[in-house]
Amino acid sequence: MEGGTGERSQLDRDRIAAAALELIDAGGLASLSMRKLGSALGVEAMSIYHYVSSKDDLLDAVMERLYGEITIEEPVSGQSWDDAVRTAVRSFHEVLRVHPHTVGLFVDRPATLSQEGFAAFFGGYRLLRLAGLAAPEAHGALHAAVSFVLGHSLVRAGAEAGGRSIDLISDELLEDDAVAEFVSSGRELTDDFHFEQGLTLLVAGLRSEYKLA
Amino acid sequence: MEGGTGERSQLDRDRIAAAALELIDAGGLASLSMRKLGSALGVEAMSIYHYVSSKDDLLDAVMERLYGEITIEEPVSGQSWDDAVRTAVRSFHEVLRVHPHTVGLFVDRPATLSQEGFAAFFGGYRLLRLAGLAAPEAHGALHAAVSFVLGHSLVRAGAEAGGRSIDLISDELLEDDAVAEFVSSGRELTDDFHFEQGLTLLVAGLRSEYKLA
DNA sequence: ACCTGAACACCGTTCAAGT
DNA sequence: ACCTGAACACCGTTCAAGT
């Protein structure tokens, strides 16, 4: 055999990013430190700097993995435009549902930096062009869809972190009937309901604003 | 005169939060440290802990200020429902435009914790109920609007941080006509165009999905 | 080529001590 | 009551040294 560097670990940028993502999934963004990542990889923290140039670069590598998990399918023949759009938006959303703590990575980190990020965005753009939108409108719709998915994940993560929130409303306020209705009707709705509702609004907006079939 | 504690500083929770927000606006979320905040206030870092119980509590106080800046107006008589909704959504968006680095605060931080946050959300809910939506649909629409504004601000902040991004697309890719169109048409569009486009889609979605006038 | 240990300049936070 | 200094347990990162 050629090569033969031992079977155990052998670091590389992508393997390091995978381990970082595991730490983020397990304990949140703040729980990822170069020292902890090193020890998870069975190595001193400083060794990691041979494969990534900084923690920021490491987080870019994690983003590449995330974007790589998004699959934007070409519409199959006979598939309606809105079915193709729904499927693509759900694919993006699903990545953030599986890795909820990664939404913070999108803060201060541009989207189209990597090959994988570009592919995802361009794929979404093509679907909207094929649906019949002109270039600027397709950009606007893509931006709106991405914003909605990221924002939804942000709200979802916030609600997760603070289950307390809505239960802290003062009794005085709750004597107002409208407030009571707001709180009690809201309590029964799930994050998934909100996501599907928002997606429906987005598709309905596209259909009516651009007169799509 | 009574009281008379000297005219200069005299700390309190809200004044501290104001100074923290100034630091965030000037240098981003990461640039806020208890030590720097102390020195901005002319005091040792440890003194701050007499007014807030932790950095997390301080950030909650900053959030209260932000929510306090949102004004959701009752619809004036004769005003169309969509005009009232547009105005409310723009008010939320404007706060994030003025304080772009604060979008990271919404990560892992629930929304309705404070009096101010509750007031903003409940105000939005009421507008949607008055527009004619039933309770669950009003929640869904509110959630979608909040998600869109937060997500848009997230994308905006990311683009700001990485002006590089779209210019890094390889020449090879750019030989594809569809890619070239995607890049060149996107370059001309502003964040404000995207925001207004998204808001239009949201309102159009509400109108058509719920058959509003 | 790859890994390490010590060191530097930072963090948030606790606590005993000062006035 | 309010503020402080020293200390603790962390950070990311540089650099000279090891194999």
Side-chain angles (χ1 to χ4, degrees), chain A residues 106-110 112-113 118 122 125 129 135-137 139-144 146-148 150-152 154-155 157-158 161-162 164-166 168-169 173 178-179 181-182 185-186 189 193-194 197-198 200-201 204-206 208-210, chain B residues 106-110 112-113 118 122 125 129 135-137 139-144 146-148 150-152 154-155 157-158 161-162 164-166 168-169 173 178-179 181-182 185-186 189 193-194 197-198 200-201 204-206 208-210:
Chain A
F106 290 82
V107 180
D108 291 345
R109 208 164 291 277
T112 39
L113 254 181
F118 179 80
F122 181 58
Y125 175 79
R129 292 285 277 128
E137 284 71 28
H139 275 285
L142 176 65
H143 193 103
V146 170
S147 295
F148 168 64
L150 289 175
H152 171 82
L154 209 67
V155 173
R164 7 165 200 158
S165 67
I166 214 163
L168 292 186
I169 291 156
L173 266 174
V179 171
E181 182 212 85
F182 173 63
S185 62
L189 305 173
F193 165 85
H194 283 131
Q197 188 85 349
T200 294
L201 285 175
L206 288 171
S208 87
E209 190 67 18
Y210 303 122
Chain B
F106 291 81
V107 180
D108 291 343
R109 208 166 289 279
T112 39
L113 254 180
F118 178 81
F122 181 60
Y125 176 79
R129 292 286 277 127
E137 284 71 29
H139 275 283
L142 175 66
H143 193 104
V146 170
S147 295
F148 168 64
L150 289 175
H152 171 82
L154 210 66
V155 173
R164 9 168 200 158
S165 69
I166 214 163
L168 292 187
I169 291 156
L173 267 174
V179 171
E181 182 212 86
F182 173 64
S185 62
L189 304 173
F193 165 84
H194 283 132
Q197 188 84 350
T200 294
L201 285 175
L206 289 171
S208 87
E209 189 67 18
Y210 302 121

Side-chain angles (χ1 to χ4, degrees), chain B residues 14-96:
Chain B
D14 196 54
R15 188 190 297 270
I16 289 170
L21 182 53
E22 269 181 47
L23 285 183
I24 291 169
D25 286 342
L29 258 189
S31 80
L32 172 66
S33 79
M34 298 302 276
R35 283 163 163 97
K36 282 186 202 157
L37 178 57
S39 104
L41 291 164
V43 98
E44 267 343 275
M46 304 312 127
S47 305
I48 299 168
Y49 285 88
H50 269 265
Y51 304 93
V52 298
S53 65
S54 65
K55 187 178 185 181
D56 216 61
D57 185 37
L58 167 67
L59 296 179
D60 282 342
V62 173
M63 286 279 273
E64 286 164 30
R65 279 192 75 86
L66 289 176
Y67 278 121
E69 289 184 22
I70 303 173
T71 46
I72 310 286
E73 310 276 1
E74 291 278 305
V76 292
S77 83
Q79 188 184 26
S80 64
W81 69 269
D82 61 285
D83 197 51
V85 167
R86 287 187 130 94
T87 302
V89 173
R90 288 203 189 96
S91 169
F92 185 20
H93 174 241
E94 188 58 20
V95 173
L96 282 155

Side-chain angles (χ1 to χ4, degrees), chain B residues 1-5:
Chain B
M1 323 156 201
E2 77 279 68
T5 41

Side-chain angles (χ1 to χ4, degrees), chain A residues 46 65 68 73 97 102-103 123 126 142 161 164 169-170 180 185 213:
Chain A
M46 304 313 127
R65 279 192 76 86
E73 310 277 1
R97 242 171 49 83
T102 60
V103 68
R126 285 203 64 197
L142 176 65
R164 7 165 200 158
I169 291 156
S170 71
S185 62

